[in-house]
Amino acid sequence: MERHWLLCLLITTLVASTMAADEEAQQRAADRVTNLPGQPPVPFQHYSGYIQLQTQNEKSMFYWFFEAQTEPALKPLVIWLHGGPGCSSVAFGAAQEIGPFLVRRPSYFTNRLTFNEYSWNKVANVLFLESPVSVGFSYTNNSNDLLEIGDQVVANDTLAFLLGWFKRFPDFKSHDFYIIGESYGGHYAPQLAHLIYETNKGATQDSFINLKGFMMGNAVINDQTDTLGIVDYAWSHGIISDKLYQSLKADCEDFKLPHTSSQCNNQLKAFFDAFSGIDIFNVYSPVCVLNFSSTTTSSNLEDVGFEIPSTFDPCVNNYVRKYFNQKEVQRALHANVTNLPYPYTLCSGDADARVPVTSTRYSITKLGLPVIGEWRPWFYKRQVGRVGWRLMVKDSPWPPYAAEVTKPHYRHEIGHFLCSPIFCLTVACHLPGFDLR
């Protein structure tokens, strides 16, 4: 009788598991993107949609996934986490930086997508996640969730998302997995890596994630060194005066105190006022001077005397916002399924003054890691592409892999890189994209 009961239980479990797998396979097929407006023809598949978190059924996280252009079964899997906090990985990472389809300036009242020859899905399967909930198309049905968002909550939700995503895409579960974080992703990436590392210790076959490394680009790492680096960068690039620079250093005491004084706050206001007409994310680029509307096209951009640079368009954020607010685009991406009562927004390098190379260098110094190579240029096709140095961690339980800290001069690559001394195992970064060798 007992054997009969156990056999029935086993059969019931197998049937339930098979039904769940079939349901996920059907949803995966439904998530495939086939009619994205403006998309150029490509030989690879891409998918987008929602993963409902198992731990919090009221939360649904939006993703956009691109299979590698060739041999996706043999390529690693990368998840891209944007910063802010509160900025969209889809609107920035996918549509402006490393995705295969870049949104470009309007033509005949519609945005167009162009193929990105430097897309990271040349060398990896790339997954973009809009996180935390309320960012982009991700949402929650419980408004209290918005009051509890913090780094630990984001890490827990992202892990829950990944476990759900791997059920929908089980073929990628055994792939080498890498986490990439940009800007405030300098908090997200290592915290998620640590959570996965600890969870893997007691994981089952279904919950184990094959984590191999993580990387942070233009990373927000440490408040004191980050802020000090921003101020030094602005002064060294002639954005602020000697007087303001000295006042900031004196009144803010090099930002070493946990709380700023009223005098320091006044100096900081003057500091950010100095950037009022400058793109803090690219101090050498022009700023978008248009009051962008749905009828703005490339022709009337020139009518107002605005010459669009051939290599960099400062109005691209406006184009991206307009593109993802189009209903036909949302339908193609299986997005905004709840008809959110507000429009899609983008946010709730060497020219980057917000998380500049000076901040990264100060933070690197604070880590106290030994430098094994001097500062030197890195070349790409006989041109200096970036400069940087290499770090190596000694006396650790992991092999002494090098962590490369570099500074590029190409728009198609993240600014400066900081690899974890623990998790930067096999990650190497090479122009013009990301080479996982």
Side-chain angles (χ1 to χ4, degrees), residues 100-152:
F101 308 133
L102 302 179
V103 177
R104 286 296 180 254
R105 64 185 177 185
S107 177
Y108 302 107
F109 299 96
T110 60
N111 291 97
R112 74 172 192 266
L113 301 180
T114 61
F115 182 72
N116 179 13
E117 61 177 310
Y118 300 104
S119 174
W120 283 22
N121 81 323
K122 279 191 170 184
V123 295
N125 301 283
V126 185
L127 173 62
F128 297 92
L129 173 64
E130 293 200 305
S131 173
V133 291
S134 79
V135 171
F137 294 121
S138 293
Y139 67 92
T140 177
N141 291 321
N142 184 354
S143 58
N144 289 330
D145 289 336
L146 304 180
L147 304 177
E148 299 173 355
I149 292 175
D151 290 354
Q152 189 59 54

Side-chain angles (χ1 to χ4, degrees), residues 243-300:
K243 180 180 179 181
L244 178 55
Y245 177 68
Q246 296 300 335
S247 296
L248 279 162
K249 300 277 281 187
D251 292 341
C252 298
E253 300 185 50
D254 282 343
F255 307 99
K256 294 178 181 178
L257 300 178
H259 303 287
T260 56
S261 65
S262 58
Q263 295 92 331
C264 178
N265 288 332
N266 289 335
Q267 302 299 344
L268 285 172
K269 181 181 184 303
F271 173 82
F272 285 106
D273 285 346
F275 280 94
S276 60
I278 300 172
D279 183 352
I280 195 171
F281 297 102
N282 189 342
V283 298
Y284 297 125
S285 76
V287 295
C288 184
V289 297
L290 297 174
N291 181 12
F292 195 84
S293 68
S294 60
T295 58
T296 304
T297 67
S298 56
S299 60
N300 60 37

Side-chain angles (χ1 to χ4, degrees), residues 43-56:
F44 56 85
Q45 309 291 344
H46 60 114
Y47 303 79
S48 64
Y50 289 91
I51 297 293
Q52 190 177 68
L53 304 193
Q54 295 298 313
T55 56
Q56 300 282 348

Side-chain angles (χ1 to χ4, degrees), residues 215-368:
M215 185 188 302
M216 295 125 65
N218 293 72
V220 172
I221 305 168
N222 174 273
D223 283 348
Q224 189 264 328
T225 49
D226 287 345
T227 308
L228 183 62
I230 293 171
V231 171
D232 284 357
Y233 182 92
W235 174 76
S236 67
H237 285 69
I239 296 171
I240 61 174
S241 67
D242 290 354
K243 180 180 179 181
L244 178 55
Y245 177 68
Q246 296 300 335
S247 296
L248 279 162
K249 300 277 281 187
D251 292 341
C252 298
E253 300 185 50
D254 282 343
F255 307 99
K256 294 178 181 178
L257 300 178
H259 303 287
T260 56
S261 65
S262 58
Q263 295 92 331
C264 178
N265 288 332
N266 289 335
Q267 302 299 344
L268 285 172
K269 181 181 184 303
F271 173 82
F272 285 106
D273 285 346
F275 280 94
S276 60
I278 300 172
D279 183 352
I280 195 171
F281 297 102
N282 189 342
V283 298
Y284 297 125
S285 76
V287 295
C288 184
V289 297
L290 297 174
N291 181 12
F292 195 84
S293 68
S294 60
T295 58
T296 304
T297 67
S298 56
S299 60
N300 60 37
L301 291 181
E302 290 149 7
D303 291 341
V304 298
F306 183 76
E307 182 178 353
I308 299 176
S310 59
T311 57
F312 177 77
D313 187 342
C315 295
V316 68
N317 282 352
N318 295 318
Y319 312 152
V320 171
R321 185 181 301 109
K322 177 187 175 185
Y323 184 78
F324 287 112
N325 271 299
Q326 293 178 16
K327 292 300 181 182
E328 59 269 31
V329 172
Q330 294 178 4
R331 284 193 293 269
L333 293 175
H334 322 113
N336 197 12
V337 294
T338 58
N339 293 315
L340 298 173
Y342 47 83
Y344 181 91
T345 58
L346 280 63
C347 284
S348 66
D350 188 27
D352 180 2
R354 186 59 187 87
V355 191
V357 65
T358 44
S359 296
T360 301
R361 293 174 77 171
Y362 293 157
S363 297
I364 291 291
T365 300
K366 195 163 186 176
L367 288 175

Side-chain angles (χ1 to χ4, degrees), residues 380-399:
Y380 175 68
K381 294 184 177 180
R382 298 185 179 182
Q383 297 291 325
V384 177
R386 61 190 184 184
V387 291
W389 71 91
R390 304 183 72 214
L391 305 176
M392 183 173 288
V393 177
K394 299 178 181 178
D395 302 323
S396 75
W398 291 270

